[in-house]
Amino acid sequence: MAPNAKTWTFRTACDPAARNIIEVPGSYRIEFGVGAFAEDYGVSASNPMADPEALTASALNRAVVKGAGDASFPAYLVPDAIVEINIYGASSGGRMSIPRAPTILTIYYPDENGDGYVDGLKFPILTENLAMYYLDEASDSFVKLPTSTPDKDQ
């Protein structure tokens, strides 16, 4: 795996009748609206670069090598901002997919000096150009989420 990968994993149980917030300060925050899933559910979040949970390391590595974006506009991945999030049903134990209520995912990025560039990267990337991607496991590719936008106040 990546030489700079940090190992971390977080698991928690959630109540479908309540708003649930899971946060690792400085890393990520997930807010599930009431009724996001029909049953009690658990959330597992981890750094797949160090310890993939449901992903295969080979699929993740192929996607990382491909990068993100398309041939007309390449995009670069921020290594410490890759998070694997899995939702498991309490009764079935199986992975659940799309939430039925609004869900907000925030992934934090460093810009300590406020210059508008992500800190600590090999290539300068403007914070206004950041976007979220998901791993399409069928094609081993990162796909941009159409509604992702950087929040400069976070």
Side-chain angles (χ1 to χ4, degrees), residues 74-108:
Y76 301 97
L77 301 171
V78 179
D80 291 337
I82 298 175
V83 179
E84 178 182 2
I85 301 166
N86 293 292
I87 314 297
Y88 296 96
S91 62
S92 68
R95 279 173 62 186
M96 300 172 80
S97 57
I98 301 170
R100 298 183 308 185
T103 301
I104 300 170
L105 171 62
T106 303
I107 298 179
Y108 302 105

Side-chain angles (χ1 to χ4, degrees), residues 6-109:
K6 299 174 191 159
T7 301
W8 50 265
T9 300
F10 184 85
R11 292 184 175 89
T12 190
C14 298
D15 179 355
R19 181 176 73 129
N20 293 278
I21 298 173
I22 297 129
E23 181 169 18
V24 174
S27 187
Y28 65 88
R29 173 187 166 102
I30 312 166
E31 183 176 337
F32 296 96
V34 174
F37 297 100
E39 64 175 292
D40 287 354
Y41 59 97
V43 176
S44 172
S46 62
N47 178 347
M49 298 301 291
D51 187 22
E53 185 175 305
L55 300 172
T56 64
S58 59
L60 180 61
N61 284 333
R62 284 190 298 273
V64 167
V65 167
K66 287 181 186 179
D70 58 33
S72 65
F73 185 75
Y76 301 97
L77 301 171
V78 179
D80 291 337
I82 298 175
V83 179
E84 178 182 2
I85 301 166
N86 293 292
I87 314 297
Y88 296 96
S91 62
S92 68
R95 279 173 62 186
M96 300 172 80
S97 57
I98 301 170
R100 298 183 308 185
T103 301
I104 300 170
L105 171 62
T106 303
I107 298 179
Y108 302 105
Y109 56 86

